[in-house]
């Protein structure tokens, strides 16, 4: 194996075997997540692991029902149909033996706070949100989780679509850690099929600029 194959081999998986995942493997995967870089070392993440398959299915039902409810409130038919077509993708975790919910706490966005304090123009203030450091911490942890899972032979799928049901999900699982909100989630399981080809990536020349 080449040194970076563990990166290139990872793909999103949406179908899983019913086999349970050893707790020690789950903990090892989450440990990898905690070794992600974290601004000010605040480690503003918390991982909720759901292994009750009936609870996972219930969460999927909650996500589906909330998505349908929201879509039906949209007057624009084209937009409503687009959302309805996406709903099945928001519940692909329903067949997984494990669901990892990644919660995030508030994190000080220094740039945003300073610009707001000195009353800079609104567009300049809003640009600071593009580089929100708190979510960058979560993204780094999640990437470590996905790579560690793949290296151990498991499948995952980074998901943020179900976030619109964050309040209902929190009530369903009984998670009440103050100051934490759902940022993303991933199912975890043994893939039922061979890994599909990775979607084509943009050429590195297209997404890279050298300043010599």
């Amino acid at each position: 194996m080449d040194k970076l194959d563990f990166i290139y081999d990872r793909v999103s998986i949406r179908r899983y075997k019913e086999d349970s995942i050893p707790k020690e493997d789950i903990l090892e995967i989450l440990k990898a997540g905690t070794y992600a870089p974290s601004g000010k070392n605040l480690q503003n993440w918390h991982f909720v692991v759901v292994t009750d398959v009936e609870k996972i299915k219930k969460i999927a039902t909650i996500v589906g029902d909330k998505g349908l409810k929201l879509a039906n409130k949209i007057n624009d038919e084209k937009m409503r149909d687009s959302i309805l077509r996406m709903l099945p993708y928001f519940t692909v975790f329903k067949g997984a033996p494990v669901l990892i919910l990644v919660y995030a706490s508030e994190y000080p966005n220094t740039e945003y706070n300073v610009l707001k304090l000195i009353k800079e123009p609104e567009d300049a203030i809003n640009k600071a949100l593009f580089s929100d450091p708190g979510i960058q911490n979560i993204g780094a942890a999640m990437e470590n989780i996905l790579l560690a899972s793949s290296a151990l032979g498991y499948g995952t799928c980074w998901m943020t679509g179900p976030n619109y049901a964050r309040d209902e999900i929190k009530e369903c699982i009984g998670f009440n850690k103050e100051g934490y909100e759902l940022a993303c989630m991933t199912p975890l399981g043994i893939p039922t099929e061979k890994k599909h080809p990775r979607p084509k990536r943009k050429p590195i020349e297209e997404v890279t600029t050298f300043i010599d």
Side-chain angles (χ1 to χ4, degrees):
M1 175 181 287
D2 291 335
K3 290 182 179 180
L4 298 182
D5 279 354
F6 75 101
I7 293 177
Y8 301 132
D9 285 346
R10 188 214 63 82
V11 296
S12 295
I13 301 294
R14 296 178 175 84
R15 295 182 181 179
Y16 309 90
K17 295 181 180 180
E18 296 180 352
D19 306 52
S20 61
I21 308 301
K23 186 174 181 180
E24 55 267 30
D25 283 359
I26 298 174
L27 290 173
E28 189 67 24
I29 288 167
L30 295 180
K31 180 180 177 181
T34 67
Y35 273 68
S38 172
K40 299 183 177 68
N41 197 33
L42 289 185
Q43 304 176 51
N44 62 312
W45 45 61
H46 190 94
F47 310 110
V48 176
V49 182
V50 183
T51 57
D52 182 335
V53 293
E54 293 305 316
K55 180 75 73 174
I56 293 173
K57 291 176 182 177
K58 185 175 181 180
I59 294 171
T61 298
I62 288 171
V63 171
D65 290 348
K66 179 68 178 288
L68 186 61
K69 182 179 179 180
L70 293 175
N72 287 333
K73 291 182 178 181
I74 301 174
N75 293 322
D76 185 309
E77 184 177 354
K78 186 176 181 180
M79 177 63 74
R80 181 174 64 252
D81 290 345
S82 176
I83 296 298
L84 290 173
R85 285 195 297 272
M86 288 299 298
L87 287 183
Y89 293 97
F90 296 160
T91 58
V92 296
F93 59 84
K94 62 186 176 184
V98 177
L99 180 63
I100 299 174
L101 303 163
V102 184
Y103 281 80
S105 66
E106 289 188 11
Y107 181 100
N109 186 331
T110 304
E111 178 191 4
Y112 178 85
N113 292 336
V114 168
L115 294 180
K116 200 168 184 180
L117 184 65
I118 63 177
K119 295 180 170 42
E120 284 291 290
E122 195 68 21
D123 63 334
I125 295 174
N126 289 336
K127 285 180 181 179
L129 298 177
F130 279 95
S131 56
D132 182 70
I135 290 300
Q136 288 194 49
N137 293 343
I138 301 303
M142 186 60 151
E143 179 71 357
N144 276 15
I145 288 172
L146 302 188
L147 291 174
S149 299
S150 180
L152 292 177
Y154 298 118
T156 55
C157 184
W158 192 332
M159 303 179 67
T160 58
N163 285 1
Y164 58 71
R166 56 170 53 86
D167 291 340
E168 292 83 357
I169 292 173
K170 181 180 286 189
E171 181 178 357
C172 177
I173 63 176
F175 178 69
N176 296 304
K177 191 173 178 65
E178 186 176 354
Y180 282 77
E181 295 295 343
L182 182 62
C184 53
M185 65 176 68
T186 180
L188 174 70
I190 300 172
T192 59
E193 54 192 17
K194 291 182 179 180
K195 292 181 179 179
H196 56 77
R198 176 185 292 279
K200 186 178 180 181
R201 262 28 190 184
K202 294 179 180 179
I204 189 65
E205 294 80 10
E206 183 181 334
V207 298
T208 305
T209 300
F210 280 93
I211 307 298
D212 296 324

